[in-house]
């Protein structure tokens, strides 16, 4: 009987029909102040950044060659299948937490915990990875200005002679935490301005770069074979899913049921168009073997004699990639807030500021955690903490949308995933397939984090959950 009760406990689900009134009646509140285009800007801010300014050059140089374009298209198709599933849930369950909340409501508490715990690490690591990526452009810009910084502050231990800490990356993480603590309305205004500037820089890159394309640079298009393009897709995938972190802000949207599905689709569509055009320009301007993996576009424009524009791009990259950090730090804090409000983590973390209505405690904790990773881990080791959890979250969301469609078809959905169940099934297959490209070290780190999470769940969360007393 005890075993049966345990089984029922870990499968208990948040009742979708009553989520809204339950969380209005009890628990901390977030302020609803975001409109459609602010949400779209947060999504675009999370998707466009490291993918164009860092990953495109790195994958083109050593993995896919000019076929990096194909890598982004493959990743985009896989991401779109999941995005349509997220859009249905975002209109149906307009609450903080995204994949965590969706999994909890449909597949049960243990699945929800599994995804939420996983995203805490993944989102934090992504913030750190992006911060480290910005450092490459920062160092390029400093060198362009003829200045030299002390070697101790230029990178994590082991990344270069005399390196002790990536100070610039660590400070950036803390700066984003500070912005988020100003309140979602003020932070979103900053995000909107920076996203507009970033898109303008990308359009400048495309508009000027297209006149310096040498089509001979596209030959061979698949220098590493078709397999290189597929491997590249697994690498760049984390650059095309910023909408999932954006969806954690559903509870801060003025009209989440109508706006969130649109914002998810708009942000992915806008980003993919810019990604494809930017990849064509980058690999057309410079031979893939000569592209700088760290500051690809700046060095590409420098190679054709446009040094001044190269510096503008470096500044644009630094400013623009900040928005990726903003979106994912927002994501980790809202998942953490939601888990704490549900009782799965100490409710002390769910405390919100009395006037700014943001979870200040978890924001600063996540900010310092990402700063530590960015400052003291090489980018390769930090990047290995990402991807697997996001892909598994996609699997859970795509399965959950199928299950819920057939379990409760009568629920009012403001957006319906088309071609059910083919589209979400495609999202599951793509995500599982991309997972197979990840290294065993990634699986090992993930297993350790998951084991720690299970210990916390069965010793604390299972008993303290709000649903435990119902």
């Amino acid at each position: 009987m005890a075993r049966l009760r345990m089984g029922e406990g870990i499968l208990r689900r948040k009742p979708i029909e009553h989520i809204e009134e339950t969380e209005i009646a009890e628990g901390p509140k977030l302020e609803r102040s975001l409109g459609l285009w602010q949400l779209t800007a947060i999504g675009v801010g999370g998707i466009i950044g490291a993918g164009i300014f860092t990953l495109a050059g790195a994958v083109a140089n050593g993995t896919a060659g000019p076929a990096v374009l194909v890598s982004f298209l493959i990743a985009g198709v896989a991401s779109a299948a999941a995005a349509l599933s997220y859009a249905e849930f975002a209109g149906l369950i307009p609450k903080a937490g995204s994949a965590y909340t969706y999994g909890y409501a449909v597949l049960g508490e243990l699945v929800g915990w599994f995804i939420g715990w996983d995203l805490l690490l993944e989102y934090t690591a992504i913030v750190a990875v992006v911060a480290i990526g910005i450092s490459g452009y920062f160092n390029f810009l400093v060198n362009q200005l003829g200045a030299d910084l002390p070697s101790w502050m230029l990178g994590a231990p082991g990344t270069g002679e005399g390196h002790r800490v990536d100070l610039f990356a660590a400070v950036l993480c803390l700066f984003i935490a500070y912005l988020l603590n100003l309140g979602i309305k003020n932070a979103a205004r900053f995000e909107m301005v920076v996203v507009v500037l970033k898109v303008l820089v990308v359009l400048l890159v495309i508009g000027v770069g297209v006149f310096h394309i040498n089509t001979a640079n596209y030959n061979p298009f698949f220098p590493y074979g078709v397999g290189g393009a597929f491997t590249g897709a697994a690498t760049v995938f984390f650059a095309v899913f910023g909408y999932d972190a954006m969806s954690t802000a559903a509870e801060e949207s003025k009209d989440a049921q109508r706006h969130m599905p649109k914002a998810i689709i708009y942000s992915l569509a806008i980003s993919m168009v810019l990604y494809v055009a930017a990849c064509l320009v980058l690999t057309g301007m410079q031979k893939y073997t000569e592209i700088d993996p760290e500051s690809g576009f700046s060095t590409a424009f420098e190679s054709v004699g446009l040094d001044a524009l190269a510096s503008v791009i470096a500044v644009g990259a630094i400013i623009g990639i900040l928005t990726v950090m903003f979106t994912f730090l927002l994501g980790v804090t809202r998942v953490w807030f939601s888990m704490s409000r549900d009782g799965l983590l100490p409710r002390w973390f769910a405390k919100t500021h009395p006037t700014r209505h943001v979870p200040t405690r978890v924001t600063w904790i996540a900010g310092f955690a990402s700063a530590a990773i960015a400052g003291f881990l090489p980018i390769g080791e930090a990047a290995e903490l990402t991807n697997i959890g996001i892909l598994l979250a996609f699997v859970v969301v795509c399965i959950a949308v199928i299950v819920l469609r057939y379990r409760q078809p009568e629920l009012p959905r403001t957006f319906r995933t088309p071609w059910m169940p083919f589209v979400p099934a495609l999202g599951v297959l793509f995500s599982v397939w991309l997972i197979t490209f990840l290294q065993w070290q990634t699986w090992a780190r993930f297993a350790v984090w998951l084991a720690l999470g299970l210990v916390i769940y069965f010793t604390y969360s299972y008993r303290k959950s709000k649903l435990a007393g119902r």
Side-chain angles (χ1 to χ4, degrees):
M1 182 63 70
R3 184 178 298 175
L4 178 61
R5 286 197 295 270
M6 173 66 79
E8 291 173 346
I10 65 175
L11 296 177
R12 56 197 174 203
R13 304 193 304 269
K14 296 178 75 170
I16 294 175
E17 303 92 331
H18 306 296
I19 285 179
E20 190 75 24
E21 55 261 38
T22 299
E23 293 182 354
I24 286 176
E26 52 181 297
K29 312 293 189 302
L30 297 173
E31 182 181 8
R32 291 193 179 276
S33 59
L34 301 177
L36 172 60
W37 294 110
Q38 287 174 308
L39 290 168
T40 302
I42 292 174
V44 171
I47 298 172
I48 293 181
I52 283 183
F53 295 112
T54 302
L55 279 181
V59 173
N61 178 268
T63 306
V68 64
L69 165 65
V70 178
S71 298
F72 273 103
L73 287 174
I74 293 169
V77 170
S79 188
L84 293 171
S85 299
Y86 271 87
E88 178 165 325
F89 271 125
L92 183 62
I93 309 176
K95 305 304 293 180
S98 186
Y100 155 72
T101 300
Y102 310 153
Y104 196 171
V106 179
L107 301 177
E109 186 172 275
L110 185 60
V111 174
W113 165 268
F114 166 77
I115 292 302
W117 178 251
D118 182 32
L119 291 179
L120 294 183
L121 176 65
E122 302 285 324
Y123 285 171
T124 303
I126 288 172
V127 173
V129 169
V130 173
I132 298 170
I134 295 179
S135 289
Y137 279 94
F138 178 68
N139 290 335
F140 173 87
L141 186 61
V142 169
N143 291 334
Q144 286 289 96
L145 296 174
D148 290 315
L149 296 173
S151 60
W152 65 265
M153 61 177 289
L154 296 179
T159 60
E161 186 177 353
H163 289 185
R164 294 291 179 267
V165 61
D166 194 329
L167 186 63
F168 184 70
V171 169
L172 277 180
C173 293
L174 298 177
F175 173 67
I176 298 300
Y178 166 75
L179 283 178
L180 284 172
N181 270 312
L182 294 178
I184 191 62
K185 187 181 295 185
N186 292 327
R189 286 174 183 157
F190 170 84
E191 174 85 343
M192 175 72 84
V193 171
V194 176
V195 166
V196 170
L197 290 174
K198 172 168 63 176
V199 171
L200 289 175
V201 170
V202 175
L203 291 175
L204 177 66
V205 166
I206 296 168
V208 176
V210 72
F211 293 103
H212 295 274
I213 288 177
N214 178 0
T215 55
N217 289 331
Y218 294 133
N219 187 31
F221 193 75
F222 290 96
Y224 300 98
V226 175
F230 285 114
T231 302
T235 303
V236 304
F237 188 80
F238 102 88
V240 295
F241 58 65
Y243 60 80
D244 77 304
M246 177 264 287
S247 68
T248 65
E251 203 168 324
E252 291 156 285
S253 168
K254 294 177 183 176
D255 188 355
Q257 290 180 309
R258 289 197 308 117
H259 291 165
M260 286 300 301
K262 292 179 181 178
I264 288 171
I265 294 169
Y266 290 170
S267 60
L268 183 60
I270 292 169
S271 301
M272 287 311 301
V273 169
L274 294 176
Y275 269 136
V276 168
C279 287
L280 280 172
V281 167
L282 176 63
T283 55
M285 287 182 66
Q286 195 171 26
K287 193 70 175 176
Y288 71 92
T289 54
E290 300 170 2
I291 294 174
D292 189 317
E294 293 186 351
S295 52
F297 279 101
S298 289
T299 52
F301 275 84
E302 190 178 36
S303 72
V304 295
L306 299 175
D307 293 33
L309 191 55
S311 297
V312 171
I313 293 169
V315 173
I318 292 171
I319 295 174
I321 298 178
L322 285 176
T323 64
V324 182
M325 298 175 63
F326 177 97
T327 299
F328 283 99
L329 195 59
L330 172 71
V332 68
T333 59
R334 272 39 178 187
V335 171
W336 197 336
F337 166 82
S338 188
M339 293 177 73
S340 299
R341 186 172 59 182
D342 290 338
L344 301 185
L345 290 172
R347 296 183 189 182
W348 181 87
F349 293 120
K351 178 71 173 178
T352 56
H353 192 277
T355 57
R356 296 195 290 269
H357 305 290
V358 291
T360 53
R361 292 172 177 174
V362 297
T363 301
W364 279 119
I365 293 170
F368 276 102
S370 59
I373 295 172
F376 298 103
L377 279 184
I379 190 168
E381 291 184 22
E384 287 175 1
L385 299 175
T386 68
N387 273 353
I388 187 170
I390 305 298
L391 289 168
L392 290 174
F394 278 15
V395 170
V396 167
V397 171
C398 290
I399 291 174
V401 81
I402 297 173
V403 170
L404 191 62
R405 181 73 71 88
Y406 290 103
R407 179 193 291 161
Q408 294 180 276
E410 77 286 353
L411 289 175
R413 294 167 168 85
T414 57
F415 177 86
R416 298 175 72 87
T417 303
W419 303 304
M420 179 69 74
F422 173 75
V423 168
L426 184 65
V428 172
L429 291 174
F430 261 115
S431 298
V432 171
W433 173 72
L434 288 171
I435 285 173
T436 65
F437 285 88
L438 301 176
Q439 298 179 349
W440 70 266
Q441 292 94 333
T442 302
W443 279 100
R445 288 184 174 91
F446 175 72
V448 171
W449 182 252
L450 177 60
L452 176 61
L454 289 175
V455 170
I456 294 174
Y457 176 77
F458 285 110
T459 58
Y460 178 88
S461 308
Y462 177 80
R463 295 180 295 103
K464 297 291 186 178
S465 168
K466 276 187 178 181
L467 296 186
R470 294 181 183 176

